[in-house]
Every structure is written in C-alpha cells, then in structure tokens.
Amino acid sequence: MKTITFYTIIIFLGCIFSGNAQFLEKLAKKAEKAAERTVERRVERESQKKTDKALDGVLEGKKKKSRKKKSKGPVIGSSDSAKSNNSLSVERAKDFQPGEITIFEDNFSRDNTGDFPAKWDTNGSGEIVMIEGKKWFRLGGKSMYIPIIKGSLPENYTIEFDMYTVGLDRNTSSQSWIHLFLQDTPLFEQSRSSAMVKLSPCQFISSPGYIEKRTDGKRQFFNEIGKDYRNLMNGKSRISISVNGERMRVWMNDSKLVDIPRMVPSSANTFKLFVRGLRDDPNKDEVYITNFRIGKAGVDNRSKLITEGRLSTNAIQFKSGSDALLPESYKTIREIAKVLEENSDVNIKIIGHTDSDGSESSNLELSKKRAIAVMNSLTNQYGIAKNRIITDGKGESNPVASNATSNGKAQNRRVEFIKL
C-alpha cells in the first residue's frame, strides 16, 4: 500500500513539473514575441526619424543650392522653377519687348515704409515694406489697386513688375487669386468691358487660373489658362504684359502663360490689380510688388503683317556695306517666322532698301542680297519653306525720308515684308 502511494505522489509531482514547464515555455515564447514587437516598433521609430532627417537634409540642401546656383530659366511645373524662385533673381521673358516710352513708373523709393504709395489708388489697404534693403508694396486683403496715370492707355503698351510671394503652402486656399484687369472704368465701379487674367497662388493642387473677356456686359469667353505655374508663383517672379490692340500676352518670368489675339475690348484701357482670398496670418500668403512700369510700345509686327498685309521695319540690321545680319535682327525675323508658321496659307515677298551712300548699282545689288539673307534665315533657322518666299531689292530708289541726315538714312535702310 505504501508503495502504491509513493508512486502516486511521484506521478503527481511529475505532472505538476511538466505542466509548469509547458506553462513557462509558453510564457517565454510570448515574452520573446513581445520583445520582438517592441524591437520592431523601436526600429520603425528610429528609421522614421532617420528618414525624416534625411528628407529634411535633402530639402534644405535643395534650398541652399537654389540660393547659390544661378538660374537658367524656369520651366513651368518643374523643380528647377522652384529652385530659381527661392532666390531673388528674376528671369525676364526673352520674347517680351518693353515699351520704349515710359508712361508710368514706380519703384516706391520715394514712399515711406508703412505708408500707402502716393502714385496709387485703392479701395482697400496696403503698405510699403523693406525687404533686403529694397522697398516693396504689400498688397493686402480683398483690395483693388490702380496706378494713377494721366489719361487712358494707348493702343499698344506693355506693363511689367516684380512680384514676390511669401508663405505660400498647402494651406493657401484654392480660392485665392491675383487678378490682372484691363477695364473700361477708371475707378472701382463695376466695368462692362474688360479683359481679365486670374492667377492662383494655390500650391496644393494644380490651379491653372482663368482668362475672361467681357464686352458691353456680356461674357465673350471664359477659359482655363491650362498651365501649372505653381513653382513660378512661389517666390519671386517677373510679370510681363504686352497689349497690341486687341491682342494680349502675359509672361511669368520667361514662360508665356497667355497669348490671345482677340482678348482686349477697345474701351478697356485702365489697368487694375485685384487680390482676394489670402490669409491674414503673419507671413502667410503675402504678396509684394516693385519695379512697376507701363511703357508705350510700337505696333505688333505679327498683327500688322496679317491685318494690313505689309510691314516695313528698321529693326532688321546688317553690318555696314554687307548682307551679314546683326544679332539684334533675329527678334523681328523670329516674329515673321511665327506668322508664317501660324498661317500656312500666307506667302510673302521680302524687299530690301538702302540709303544713298555708295553707287546706285552697288546699293541695288546690296538690297537684293540683304533680302535673300533674311529669306535664308527664315528657311534655314526656322524651317519656313523656300517656295513661300520671293525676294527683291530696290536699292536707294524708294526712300521714306531724306538722305541728307543720319536719321533719315537710318529710316531708309529697311526691310519690307508684303503678304502675297
């Protein structure tokens, strides 16, 4: 009996130890898994910290490089645009030609900081501030701004200014706008005829902005600009506007955003800036302008050739006594090439003219060679078909001014384009 009891106790204790061993084994496995999860979470946290730090370093590095690297000209929507705009350098449009005669100009140098500029009018608020030693005009709130000029704008003119935006981020509203207006009212009342370009400073979505034309209270068209210029808008940029009759072109830096041939109503001859939807928080959605200029311009060469069928220009120049084109000639030649590209049914005749210096025969031959040189530039550089162009030269036989003065001779040295 005692032997049976002894064995029973042994078996019982064995079961207890076995159960405890299994329990401890399970407990150890759970502890091991918990430790693994803890390590994993810690690794994840450390990895995330290192990733964030690396990204910050990359972004900061890009910002530093953008300040040091000289801009080569931004491309709409590219990272290069953002780099160029973080610095205070400005890329002017290469095909924008400022008006030669100044109508209005203001860099705010005579205004006191904190004051509203003396040469402007508004229905809201604004003030002069100092940024890096230069005065800027801060546009604020839901306000319209009008440069005070005598009379109305001419048929052909340009408007240009530097713009600087600060604090644009993902919280900048998609309903914030910077309007460029040409209207038929000189003050702040509602206009009936206008040309409008709406630019959006929004950064978190593509906000292409809009164009609109109204005539006598009726909307003629309303459309998207269709280009993503967020990177150009963020930082410093140069806004350039060219108006030639009804045609309106708008550039931001060296990128053309708008080119509409029938955009401006004839009565819309007052320029206005209008901003709205910007946050009131300090250093958020700030918009500044400076170096504002309006200049009277000549006739648009492209429109003149198509509408009038004839264009005579002194802008195409040659080396003295030669048919070798000077570099300043290519802007006008490029404009003529653009006309021919956009109007495939148009053929032209190019006629060269000279002043009276030299013999008649040599001038006649020179004028013909110069016309051929222009034709060769159009065909070789811009791909215009040679069978669309004929050339001729008149030498000194058809002067438009007296050859007795240097100014008269300069007018007589010209190239004429005739639409066939």
Side-chain angles (χ1 to χ4, degrees):
M1 183 70 179
K2 292 181 179 180
T3 302
I4 295 172
T5 303
F6 175 78
Y7 282 116
T8 301
I9 293 171
I10 293 298
I11 292 170
F12 177 73
L13 291 174
C15 290
I16 291 176
F17 287 127
S18 175
N20 286 340
Q22 291 176 1
F23 173 75
L24 291 173
E25 183 179 355
K26 289 181 180 180
L27 185 62
K29 287 183 178 179
K30 287 183 179 180
E32 183 180 356
K33 289 182 179 180
E36 288 177 354
R37 287 195 298 270
T38 301
V39 171
E40 288 174 356
R41 285 195 295 268
R42 180 172 295 179
V43 169
E44 287 177 359
R45 287 197 300 269
E46 294 300 322
S47 298
Q48 185 63 44
K49 288 180 181 178
K50 291 180 179 179
T51 300
D52 291 342
K53 186 176 181 180
L55 287 174
D56 290 341
V58 170
L59 294 175
E60 288 299 320
K62 287 185 177 180
K63 289 181 181 178
K64 291 177 181 178
K65 287 181 181 178
S66 69
R67 295 189 186 100
K68 295 178 181 178
K69 186 177 180 180
K70 187 177 180 181
S71 173
K72 296 181 180 179
V75 178
I76 291 179
S78 76
S79 59
D80 289 338
S81 297
K83 291 178 184 178
S84 66
N85 278 303
N86 285 334
S87 68
L88 289 181
S89 62
V90 176
E91 291 289 329
R92 267 116 175 135
K94 294 177 177 60
D95 55 344
F96 171 77
Q97 187 67 35
E100 296 179 358
I101 302 173
T102 299
I103 298 174
F104 178 93
E105 193 168 23
D106 198 0
N107 61 6
F108 311 110
S109 59
R110 297 186 178 183
D111 297 297
N112 295 322
T113 55
D115 289 349
F116 189 86
K119 297 167 71 173
W120 291 72
D121 199 359
T122 186
N123 61 355
S125 62
E127 63 177 340
I128 300 298
V129 300
M130 189 74 74
I131 301 176
E132 295 186 1
K134 185 174 180 60
K135 290 182 178 178
W136 293 73
F137 178 21
R138 185 184 68 81
L139 312 182
K142 186 178 179 181
S143 305
M144 182 171 284
Y145 304 92
I146 305 175
I148 302 172
I149 64 174
K150 295 180 180 179
S152 57
L153 294 171
E155 183 180 9
N156 302 295
Y157 58 93
T158 60
I159 301 170
E160 51 184 326
F161 57 91
D162 291 341
M163 183 170 71
Y164 188 33
T165 57
V166 176
L168 302 185
D169 55 32
R170 293 185 60 84
N171 293 320
T172 300
S173 172
S174 60
Q175 298 304 307
S176 58
W177 299 102
I178 300 170
H179 296 74
L180 310 175
F181 275 124
L182 296 174
Q183 294 187 340
D184 61 351
T185 54
L187 298 176
F188 306 104
E189 63 266 24
Q190 187 172 358
S191 67
R192 290 182 56 78
S193 297
S194 64
M196 177 195 70
V197 177
K198 291 174 66 173
L199 301 176
S200 172
C202 177
Q203 296 292 301
F204 70 91
I205 59 173
S206 173
S207 295
Y210 299 93
I211 55 173
E212 181 188 54
K213 177 182 179 180
R214 286 184 175 271
T215 304
D216 296 328
K218 296 181 180 179
R219 176 183 280 178
Q220 303 298 310
F221 59 75
F222 181 82
N223 203 358
E224 289 187 351
I225 291 176
K227 296 179 180 178
D228 187 355
Y229 49 85
R230 281 175 288 179
N231 288 327
L232 299 181
M233 176 67 75
N234 193 3
K236 190 172 180 187
S237 58
R238 182 73 171 176
I239 305 297
S240 305
I241 305 168
S242 178
V243 177
N244 298 99
E246 294 181 78
R247 184 185 182 194
M248 183 177 184
R249 289 170 287 173
V250 180
W251 294 261
M252 185 175 292
N253 289 355
D254 63 352
S255 297
K256 186 185 291 183
L257 301 183
V258 174
D259 190 349
I260 309 297
R262 301 287 183 270
M263 176 76 170
V264 184
S266 59
S267 58
N269 49 26
T270 299
F271 176 74
K272 303 176 184 180
L273 264 172
F274 178 61
V275 296
R276 71 173 186 180
L278 304 176
R279 290 174 290 177
D280 291 331
D281 296 345
N283 299 319
K284 298 291 185 182
D285 298 350
E286 298 284 347
V287 179
Y288 307 89
I289 65 170
T290 194
N291 295 330
F292 188 96
R293 182 180 183 272
I294 301 177
K296 183 178 180 180
V299 177
D300 179 20
N301 291 332
R302 292 166 59 181
S303 298
K304 188 176 178 65
L305 180 58
I306 293 299
T307 58
E308 299 182 17
R310 182 183 292 266
L311 168 67
S312 181
T313 178
N314 306 101
I316 298 178
Q317 299 181 21
F318 305 84
K319 290 183 179 179
S320 180
S322 168
D323 62 348
L325 287 159
L326 293 176
E328 51 265 36
S329 305
Y330 290 105
K331 177 182 181 296
T332 301
I333 294 175
R334 185 169 62 247
E335 289 179 344
I336 300 301
K338 194 69 174 177
V339 170
L340 298 176
E341 288 172 359
E342 295 174 351
N343 301 273
S344 58
D345 58 334
V346 171
N347 298 328
I348 60 170
K349 183 177 184 178
I350 304 174
I351 304 174
H353 298 270
T354 68
D355 57 29
S356 61
D357 289 350
S359 67
E360 288 186 19
S361 60
S362 62
N363 284 334
L364 180 61
E365 185 65 22
L366 180 60
S367 67
K368 291 179 179 180
K369 288 182 178 180
R370 286 179 170 179
I372 292 172
V374 175
M375 178 188 69
N376 289 338
S377 178
L378 288 169
T379 57
N380 296 335
Q381 292 180 264
Y382 301 101
I384 305 301
K386 213 165 199 175
N387 60 6
R388 298 178 61 188
I389 306 171
I390 62 174
T391 64
D392 195 8
K394 298 295 183 181
E396 61 185 80
S397 62
N398 291 337
V400 293
S402 171
N403 280 303
T405 64
S406 58
N407 183 55
K409 288 179 180 179
Q411 294 180 56
N412 290 330
R413 294 190 298 269
R414 66 194 190 280
V415 176
E416 194 172 9
F417 299 88
I418 300 174
K419 185 173 73 171
L420 300 177

XYZ file of all heavy atoms in Angstrom, residues 49-81:
246
model
N 12.666 58.445 -37.942
C 13.415 59.645 -37.576
C 14.547 59.901 -38.563
O 14.769 61.021 -39.013
C 13.984 59.500 -36.155
C 12.933 59.596 -35.065
C 13.581 59.432 -33.704
C 12.540 59.491 -32.598
N 13.160 59.286 -31.261
N 15.297 58.810 -38.883
C 16.410 58.965 -39.810
C 15.929 59.353 -41.199
O 16.546 60.165 -41.885
C 17.215 57.665 -39.869
C 17.978 57.368 -38.588
C 18.769 56.069 -38.701
C 19.558 55.789 -37.424
N 20.311 54.529 -37.500
N 14.789 58.768 -41.616
C 14.230 59.117 -42.940
C 13.808 60.573 -42.987
O 14.102 61.299 -43.938
C 13.015 58.219 -43.255
O 13.432 56.856 -43.252
C 12.439 58.558 -44.635
N 13.083 61.006 -41.926
C 12.662 62.407 -41.868
C 13.862 63.335 -41.880
O 13.856 64.367 -42.565
C 11.827 62.666 -40.604
C 10.473 61.964 -40.671
O 10.062 61.597 -41.793
O 9.842 61.801 -39.611
N 14.888 62.973 -41.106
C 16.092 63.809 -41.061
C 16.768 63.869 -42.417
O 17.237 64.921 -42.866
C 17.048 63.260 -40.010
C 18.269 64.133 -39.768
C 19.117 63.582 -38.644
C 20.322 64.473 -38.384
N 21.161 63.946 -37.282
N 16.806 62.712 -43.097
C 17.428 62.663 -44.428
C 16.657 63.516 -45.415
O 17.238 64.265 -46.204
C 17.497 61.216 -44.909
N 15.318 63.397 -45.358
C 14.492 64.214 -46.257
C 14.673 65.691 -45.975
O 14.765 66.509 -46.896
C 13.016 63.822 -46.111
C 12.619 62.472 -46.715
C 11.176 62.135 -46.371
C 12.810 62.501 -48.227
N 14.692 66.042 -44.677
C 14.910 67.453 -44.327
C 16.240 67.924 -44.869
O 16.362 69.044 -45.381
C 14.882 67.630 -42.795
C 13.475 67.443 -42.236
O 12.514 67.542 -43.038
O 13.342 67.202 -41.024
N 17.250 67.060 -44.744
C 18.561 67.434 -45.260
C 18.549 67.646 -46.751
O 19.159 68.575 -47.274
N 17.831 66.759 -47.457
C 17.735 66.903 -48.918
C 17.039 68.192 -49.282
O 17.474 68.954 -50.150
C 16.986 65.695 -49.527
C 16.670 65.967 -50.998
C 17.823 64.442 -49.397
N 15.895 68.450 -48.597
C 15.138 69.667 -48.901
C 15.932 70.904 -48.573
O 15.947 71.882 -49.329
C 13.807 69.663 -48.123
C 12.812 68.571 -48.550
C 11.599 68.584 -47.634
C 12.392 68.781 -50.001
N 16.606 70.884 -47.397
C 17.423 72.044 -47.043
C 18.560 72.222 -48.026
O 18.916 73.330 -48.403
C 17.981 71.875 -45.620
C 16.935 72.029 -44.526
C 16.301 73.402 -44.550
O 17.029 74.392 -44.779
O 15.088 73.493 -44.359
N 19.134 71.089 -48.449
C 20.219 71.158 -49.432
C 19.748 71.775 -50.723
O 20.448 72.563 -51.346
N 18.531 71.406 -51.158
C 17.987 71.981 -52.387
C 17.782 73.470 -52.243
O 18.040 74.248 -53.147
C 16.648 71.312 -52.740
C 16.809 69.895 -53.272
C 15.469 69.336 -53.716
C 15.615 67.957 -54.320
N 14.317 67.404 -54.746
N 17.287 73.867 -51.052
C 17.077 75.302 -50.844
C 18.393 76.053 -50.903
O 18.490 77.114 -51.508
C 16.406 75.538 -49.484
C 14.946 75.081 -49.443
C 14.334 75.352 -48.090
C 12.887 74.889 -48.027
N 12.290 75.112 -46.699
N 19.456 75.459 -50.251
C 20.752 76.139 -50.272
C 21.306 76.202 -51.672
O 21.841 77.208 -52.104
C 21.721 75.407 -49.337
C 21.362 75.560 -47.860
C 22.310 74.771 -46.988
C 21.937 74.907 -45.512
N 22.818 74.103 -44.649
N 21.155 75.111 -52.430
C 21.650 75.109 -53.798
C 20.910 76.113 -54.640
O 21.466 76.758 -55.505
C 21.478 73.713 -54.407
C 22.467 72.690 -53.856
C 22.247 71.338 -54.528
C 23.195 70.295 -53.975
N 22.956 68.973 -54.597
N 19.600 76.240 -54.389
C 18.822 77.184 -55.199
C 19.265 78.608 -54.969
O 19.165 79.444 -55.848
C 17.332 77.045 -54.866
O 17.086 77.517 -53.557
N 19.789 78.875 -53.737
C 20.255 80.231 -53.475
C 21.590 80.498 -54.142
O 21.896 81.609 -54.516
C 20.374 80.453 -51.970
C 19.028 80.392 -51.246
C 19.168 80.825 -49.805
N 17.946 80.638 -49.078
C 17.712 79.617 -48.275
N 18.616 78.685 -48.119
N 16.562 79.513 -47.632
N 22.410 79.430 -54.266
C 23.744 79.617 -54.811
C 23.779 79.451 -56.316
O 24.504 80.128 -57.011
C 24.698 78.607 -54.170
C 24.891 78.826 -52.669
C 25.809 77.770 -52.094
C 25.991 77.961 -50.603
N 26.850 76.919 -50.016
N 22.957 78.516 -56.845
C 23.021 78.194 -58.260
C 22.329 79.253 -59.086
O 21.223 79.666 -58.802
C 22.344 76.838 -58.492
C 22.493 76.343 -59.911
C 21.872 74.965 -60.058
C 22.003 74.441 -61.461
N 21.395 73.103 -61.600
N 22.977 79.716 -60.102
C 22.403 80.724 -60.982
C 21.315 80.107 -61.831
O 21.486 79.062 -62.437
C 23.492 81.313 -61.883
C 22.996 82.500 -62.706
C 24.123 83.090 -63.509
C 23.653 84.266 -64.337
N 24.745 84.840 -65.151
N 20.148 80.766 -61.874
C 19.016 80.220 -62.609
C 19.248 80.253 -64.104
O 19.749 81.208 -64.651
C 17.757 81.035 -62.270
O 16.694 80.632 -63.076
N 18.871 79.147 -64.758
C 18.979 79.080 -66.208
C 17.645 79.361 -66.873
O 17.520 79.255 -68.082
C 19.470 77.694 -66.627
C 20.871 77.384 -66.133
C 21.304 76.009 -66.594
C 22.706 75.688 -66.103
N 23.134 74.331 -66.517
N 16.631 79.703 -66.081
C 15.318 79.957 -66.646
C 14.382 78.826 -66.298
O 14.603 77.686 -66.660
N 13.313 79.109 -65.537
C 12.435 78.049 -65.061
C 11.566 77.467 -66.161
O 11.229 78.129 -67.117
C 11.569 78.769 -64.017
C 11.572 80.185 -64.443
C 12.910 80.428 -65.069
N 11.222 76.201 -65.989
C 10.272 75.540 -66.860
C 9.010 75.339 -66.059
O 9.058 74.930 -64.905
C 10.818 74.175 -67.331
C 9.802 73.467 -68.204
C 12.125 74.382 -68.084
N 7.869 75.610 -66.635
C 6.618 75.540 -65.900
C 6.447 74.173 -65.278
O 6.570 73.157 -65.950
C 5.430 75.858 -66.821
C 5.480 77.341 -67.220
C 4.107 75.549 -66.161
C 4.383 77.756 -68.122
N 6.157 74.162 -63.954
C 5.871 72.922 -63.258
C 7.079 72.099 -62.885
O 6.937 71.004 -62.359
N 8.288 72.524 -63.143
C 9.476 71.719 -62.858
C 10.105 72.119 -61.541
O 9.871 73.197 -61.020
C 10.512 71.886 -63.968
O 11.161 73.125 -63.848
N 10.958 71.226 -61.010
C 11.663 71.547 -59.768
C 12.660 72.664 -59.981
O 12.987 73.401 -59.066
C 12.376 70.304 -59.228
O 13.306 69.825 -60.184
N 13.165 72.798 -61.206
C 14.097 73.893 -61.492
C 13.433 75.236 -61.277
O 14.062 76.204 -60.882
C 14.596 73.802 -62.928
C 15.536 72.623 -63.118
O 16.095 72.174 -62.098
O 15.698 72.171 -64.252
N 12.123 75.304 -61.545
C 11.404 76.555 -61.334
C 11.428 76.940 -59.872
O 11.652 78.085 -59.516
C 9.948 76.414 -61.798
O 9.884 76.163 -63.161
